[in-house]
């Protein structure tokens, strides 16, 4: 045990030595607008988790205490990550990527199944840990490092090698996550990979080819889904598909319209012997958001989650936006979306100000991951996307998700703090040498 403590202290000293730390003056370069928005979003999340617990009681009453504990722990992780030069983290990114893959393998063997997904590990004294949330920033680190390697750009394969390498790296965690199965979370990895591929200089026409292949592959992907996952997609498609078929039936020949209606009915039909399709959460979430009106019912005056229509197990996590929209209305929901929009713009500004391509990749990758989460989460609460279990950054309840979110935010802040070139890098630029770190 003593040997482990000594090794741990040595490793911590190596991380926090002067050439890695930004120093106290480095935080003067931090993006305080982004930091202020993060604090505001965290406060909003705690306030509505507390409100939901106060109204509902039971196990939910203590969740806001645990959320604050996770925020404090995530804040420490954020401060350390932001203080250390992001080049240090990227130099170790291959090992962090392996750690993320290893955790995803371990959870498949020893993990606990919750909500139809084998994605949680029980950690003594901590509770349940969801490795996939930590795998996102760990994979982004390696993707950013790999995408900026000069060897990829100068290889004989030309423009094909960077996208092949990036997609090859990301497919390993994606496949492991799909085996849990957690297809919704696995989807988050693709937008960020596409964004980084675009930054490598890949030709735009190949994106259209890839989009076409993706659309053609969708039916095959649908067939591999679990029954409850297919139900979620069918619930989302039922109303717009029915309206589309009704419209086509009015303009097409009668026989064609009848065939389309028959095919749609067969697609949406519940399998023989199967349970009735569960669209409860989607309907109740939409009712909660709609019932808020312009200014909402008032803080601590929501009814959908209090009366149990919106289940209390999901109200503070994936459907926290429904609670906020019900109690603060369109104005409160719009304010929350505006805060997220400004924060994403801050991340994009950090990417533009980064001192090298590596920092640009990290900051923009973080922005894309957060944007994907925000877009999917809010869309599914208002019926604009299938329910896939994607939390809302900084706001939703969850320990693993909070740690992963703060780690991503810390990496982006590190790019902002360390945006000025080092003396040796300035010398390299002055001499016309390639200053990309090998």
């Amino acid at each position: 045990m003593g040997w482990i403590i000594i090794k741990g202290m040595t490793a911590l000293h190596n991380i926090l030595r002067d050439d890695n730390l930004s120093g106290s003056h480095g935080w003067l370069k931090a993006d305080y607008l982004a930091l202020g928005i993060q604090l505001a979003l965290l406060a909003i999340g705690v306030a509505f988790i507390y409100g939901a617990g106060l109204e509902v009681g039971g196990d939910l009453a203590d969740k806001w205490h645990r959320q604050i504990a996770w925020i404090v722990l995530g804040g420490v992780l954020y401060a350390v990550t932001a203080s250390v030069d992001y080049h240090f983290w990227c130099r170790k990114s291959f090992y962090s990527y392996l750690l993320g893959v290893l955790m995803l393998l371990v959870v498949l063997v020893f993990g606990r199944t919750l909500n139809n997904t084998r994605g949680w590990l029980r950690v003594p004294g901590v509770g349940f840990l969801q490795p996939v949330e930590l795998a996102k920033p760990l994979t982004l680190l390696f993707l950013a490092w790999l995408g900026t390697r000069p060897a990829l750009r100068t290889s004989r394969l030309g423009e094909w090698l960077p996208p092949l390498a990036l997609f090859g790296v990301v497919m390993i965690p994606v496949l492991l996550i799909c085996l849990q199965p957690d297809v919704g979370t696995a989807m988050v990895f693709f937008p960020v990979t596409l964004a980084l591929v675009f930054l490598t200089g890949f030709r735009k026409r190949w994106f259209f080819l890839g989009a076409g292949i993706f659309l053609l592959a969708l039916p095959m992907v649908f067939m591999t889904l679990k029954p409850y996952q297919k139900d979620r997609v069918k619930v989302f498609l039922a109303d717009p598909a029915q309206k589309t078929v009704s419209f086509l039936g009015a303009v097409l020949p009668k026989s064609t319209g009848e065939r389309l209606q028959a095919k749609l009915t067969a697609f949406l039909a519940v399998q023989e012997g199967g349970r009735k399709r569960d669209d409860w959460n989607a309907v109740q979430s939409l009712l909660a958001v709609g019932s808020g009106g312009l200014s909402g019912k008032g803080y601590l005056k929501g009814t959908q989650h209090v009366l149990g229509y919106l289940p209390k197990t999901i109200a503070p996590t994936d459907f926290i936006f429904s609670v906020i929209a019900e109690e603060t209305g369109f104005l409160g929901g719009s304010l929350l979306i505006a805060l997220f929009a400004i924060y994403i713009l801050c991340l994009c500004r950090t990417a533009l100000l980064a001192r090298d391509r590596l920092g640009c990749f990290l900051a923009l990758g973080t922005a894309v991951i957060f944007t994907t989460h925000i877009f999917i989460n809010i869309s599914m609460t208002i019926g604009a996307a299938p329910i896939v279990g994607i939390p809302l950054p900084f706001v939703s309840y969850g320990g693993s998700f909070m740690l992963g979110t703060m780690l991503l935010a810390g990496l982006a802040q590190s790019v902002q703090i360390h945006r000025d070139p080092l003396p040796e890098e300035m010398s390299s630029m002055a001499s016309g040498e390639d200053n990309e770190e090998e």
Side-chain angles (χ1 to χ4, degrees):
M1 179 63 71
W3 178 83
I4 295 176
I5 294 176
I6 293 174
K7 295 295 289 184
M9 293 296 291
T10 302
L12 183 60
H13 175 267
N14 291 334
I15 292 176
L16 300 179
R17 68 179 189 267
D18 291 341
D19 56 340
N20 287 322
L21 276 175
S22 63
S24 59
H25 63 280
W27 276 92
L28 295 176
K29 305 174 186 176
D31 188 342
Y32 286 101
L33 176 58
L35 182 58
I37 292 175
Q38 292 169 27
L39 294 175
L41 292 172
L42 291 170
I44 291 172
V46 171
F48 282 92
I49 292 171
Y50 164 78
L54 185 66
E55 295 173 287
V56 176
D59 296 337
L60 191 59
D62 294 327
K63 281 188 179 294
W64 72 279
H65 292 107
R66 294 195 289 271
Q67 182 76 344
I68 291 178
W70 284 114
I71 290 174
V72 172
L73 184 58
V76 174
L77 185 62
Y78 172 86
V80 172
T81 305
S83 297
V84 178
D85 193 325
Y86 60 92
H87 287 86
F88 172 82
W89 302 120
C90 289
R91 284 196 296 268
K92 309 295 183 183
S93 61
F94 177 69
Y95 303 104
S96 67
Y97 171 74
L98 290 181
L99 175 62
V101 171
L102 178 61
M103 289 191 297
L104 294 176
L105 286 171
V106 170
V107 78
L108 287 177
V109 179
F110 303 103
R112 293 283 299 273
T113 300
L114 298 174
N115 300 324
N116 300 311
T117 300
R118 191 180 185 87
W120 280 263
L121 288 174
R122 178 178 286 278
V123 180
V126 176
F128 288 108
L129 181 69
Q130 195 174 9
V132 65
E133 300 299 345
L134 299 178
K136 295 174 190 175
L138 298 182
T139 302
L140 173 62
L141 271 173
F142 188 50
L143 287 175
W145 179 87
L146 188 64
T148 55
R149 295 308 89 201
L152 291 183
R153 300 197 301 271
T154 59
S155 69
R156 293 181 179 179
L157 291 178
E159 66 176 11
W160 284 103
L161 186 56
L164 289 176
L166 294 180
F167 275 105
V169 165
V170 82
M171 285 307 298
I172 297 176
V174 165
L175 291 176
L176 292 175
I177 295 169
C178 288
L179 290 176
Q180 294 182 4
D182 191 355
V183 179
T185 302
M187 292 168 51
V188 176
F189 287 79
F190 288 110
V192 64
T193 307
L194 286 172
L196 298 188
V197 167
F198 179 79
L199 289 180
T200 62
F202 197 59
R203 295 185 181 179
K204 297 179 182 179
R205 64 173 179 267
W206 297 114
F207 280 99
F208 294 103
L209 176 61
I213 295 175
F214 175 75
L215 292 176
L216 292 175
L218 279 180
M220 293 183 289
V221 173
F222 179 80
M223 296 304 296
T224 63
L225 297 179
K226 299 287 185 180
Y228 75 92
Q229 293 172 326
K230 291 181 180 179
D231 282 350
R232 291 177 177 178
V233 175
K234 291 179 179 180
V235 166
F236 169 69
L237 293 177
D239 186 55
Q242 185 61 58
K243 291 179 179 178
T244 302
V245 169
S246 298
F247 171 77
L248 292 176
V251 298
L252 293 176
K254 182 178 179 180
S255 58
T256 304
E258 291 176 349
R259 286 198 299 270
L260 288 175
Q261 183 62 53
K263 289 183 179 296
L264 177 62
T265 302
F267 173 74
L268 297 176
V270 178
Q271 294 182 356
E272 185 177 354
R275 59 180 176 81
K276 183 180 179 181
R277 185 165 298 119
D278 185 9
D279 61 349
W280 180 267
N281 292 344
V283 171
Q284 297 305 319
S285 174
L286 192 58
L287 288 174
V289 174
S291 64
L294 179 62
S295 58
K297 300 175 180 177
Y299 183 56
L300 301 181
K301 296 182 180 180
T303 57
Q304 290 299 111
H305 63 286
V306 175
L307 299 177
Y309 295 113
L310 189 65
K312 65 179 183 179
T313 56
I314 62 173
T317 54
D318 298 341
F319 289 87
I320 188 69
F321 182 80
S322 303
V323 178
I324 295 173
E326 182 184 11
E327 297 189 358
T328 64
F330 175 79
L331 296 178
S334 298
L335 176 61
L336 184 64
I337 294 174
L339 288 175
F340 278 123
I342 297 172
Y343 181 68
I344 297 301
L345 290 176
C346 288
L347 295 179
C348 293
R349 182 183 62 181
T350 297
L352 291 174
L353 296 176
R355 76 178 194 240
D356 54 17
R357 286 164 51 84
L358 182 58
C360 178
F361 275 48
L362 267 181
L364 190 64
T366 300
V368 172
I369 291 177
F370 283 153
T371 301
T372 304
H373 268 270
I374 296 164
F375 179 80
I376 294 179
N377 178 273
I378 295 179
S379 295
M380 73 181 189
T381 61
I382 61 176
I387 296 176
V388 292
I390 298 293
L392 196 59
F394 302 108
V395 181
S396 290
Y397 172 81
S400 303
F401 182 65
M402 181 59 66
L403 294 181
T405 298
M406 297 298 274
L407 181 55
L408 281 169
L411 289 172
Q413 190 68 272
S414 177
V415 175
Q416 176 73 19
I417 292 175
H418 300 92
R419 64 184 182 273
D420 294 333
L422 298 176
E424 56 269 24
E425 293 175 338
M426 295 180 67
S427 300
S428 298
M429 288 186 290
S431 62
E433 297 177 3
D434 187 358
N435 67 336
E436 285 289 353
E437 186 178 347
E438 297 291 343

